[in-house]
Amino acid sequence: MNVWFVTGTDTDAGKTLVTSGLLYAARQQHLSTLGLKPIASGSQTTPEGLQNSDALALQHQSVPPVDYATVNPIAFAPAIAPHLAALEAGKPLEVSAIANLLRETLSQLPRDVSLIEGAGGWRVPLNAQEDFADLAMALELPVILVVGLKLGCLNHARLTAEAIRADGLVVAGWAGSVVDPAFAADTARFKANIAHLNAKLAAPCLGIIPHLDAPDAATAAPYLSLEPL
């Protein structure tokens, strides 16, 4: 069973686009898939309860199918930091409990490719003492780093990769997503930035997703590859 933890350089870096795109690509290779987003803020009220659009995207790429609660067991309505949403809901988060839940899910639903998507960046807090990094460390998973390609991303990407390694985990690979079209407008400069990331991140690149008019798993997948993993 191959399981990776997906983190990003920041909020809206393109984590869900990369995660769902990789799952879609795996499906095209006739591999079984599972996408998990254990904690999601910014969820909408539905007849089935609170549901998050990012988690739904991962659910749609999980084959054989799984129910929503498996993908996203903890959902909050406000689009705020998870630890604040949890406090407001009176449901404090604990890494040990979340890690145990994920271990149970992974053991019950073994898949060829399983991706666990965090929220925001590497140090987004879960409570006053713990953050998403602690969750990845508890699970001892290799990490896929999603770099939101925009001005400032070189610093954010390098600092995040350094933090992951300082926490004792492996950066298994990285993927870029162009979140600011202006950043990629000059081809020569864009290629130089990507070359810098490849050199400094010292991990295989899983792909670079350009700015897409209709971003989803199907449109992102052709730019991604599972082979380096």
Side-chain angles (χ1 to χ4, degrees):
M1 181 170 61
N2 298 307
V3 186
W4 292 269
F5 188 91
V6 182
T7 192
T9 47
D10 201 353
T11 301
D12 296 327
K15 290 187 306 299
T16 300
L17 185 61
V18 168
T19 304
S20 61
L22 286 171
L23 293 171
Y24 185 98
R27 290 177 55 199
Q28 302 314 297
Q29 298 179 30
H30 306 291
L31 300 175
S32 59
T33 57
L34 179 63
L36 302 176
K37 190 173 180 69
I39 305 160
S41 300
S43 304
Q44 295 74 45
T45 301
T46 76
E48 291 76 32
L50 288 174
Q51 294 191 343
N52 175 269
S53 59
D54 291 347
L56 287 169
L58 301 189
Q59 182 189 16
H60 292 158
Q61 300 307 321
S62 298
V63 178
V66 294
D67 59 28
Y68 180 84
T70 298
V71 174
N72 175 217
I74 305 170
F76 300 112
I80 58 177
H83 72 297
L84 296 179
L87 288 175
E88 291 182 7
K91 300 177 179 178
L93 301 170
E94 293 184 2
V95 163
S96 61
I98 300 166
N100 286 337
L101 178 62
L102 288 170
R103 290 190 191 99
E104 182 178 357
T105 298
L106 292 169
S107 66
Q108 293 178 349
L109 299 171
R111 301 292 169 89
D112 296 318
V113 176
S114 296
L115 301 178
I116 300 175
E117 182 186 326
W122 187 244
R123 297 286 185 215
V124 167
L126 292 174
N127 55 50
Q129 289 81 36
E130 300 174 312
D131 50 38
F132 271 98
D134 292 296
L135 179 59
M137 286 188 283
L139 296 168
E140 298 181 303
L141 292 177
V143 180
I144 295 172
L145 173 59
V146 178
V147 180
L149 296 172
K150 60 180 182 178
L151 189 63
C153 69
L154 303 185
N155 177 62
H156 294 159
R158 292 178 62 182
L159 287 175
T160 303
E162 288 171 9
I164 293 168
R165 291 180 173 121
D167 286 334
L169 296 180
V170 174
V171 180
W174 73 279
S177 177
V178 177
V179 297
D180 179 8
F183 185 75
D186 186 305
T187 302
R189 291 174 180 171
F190 183 67
K191 288 182 177 179
N193 281 317
I194 298 303
H196 182 86
L197 288 170
N198 272 321
K200 296 299 184 180
L201 294 182
C205 181
L206 309 183
I208 303 295
I209 304 173
H211 188 73
L212 300 172
D213 292 332
D216 61 19
T219 57
Y223 301 98
L224 299 167
S225 175
L226 290 162
E227 291 185 8
L229 296 176

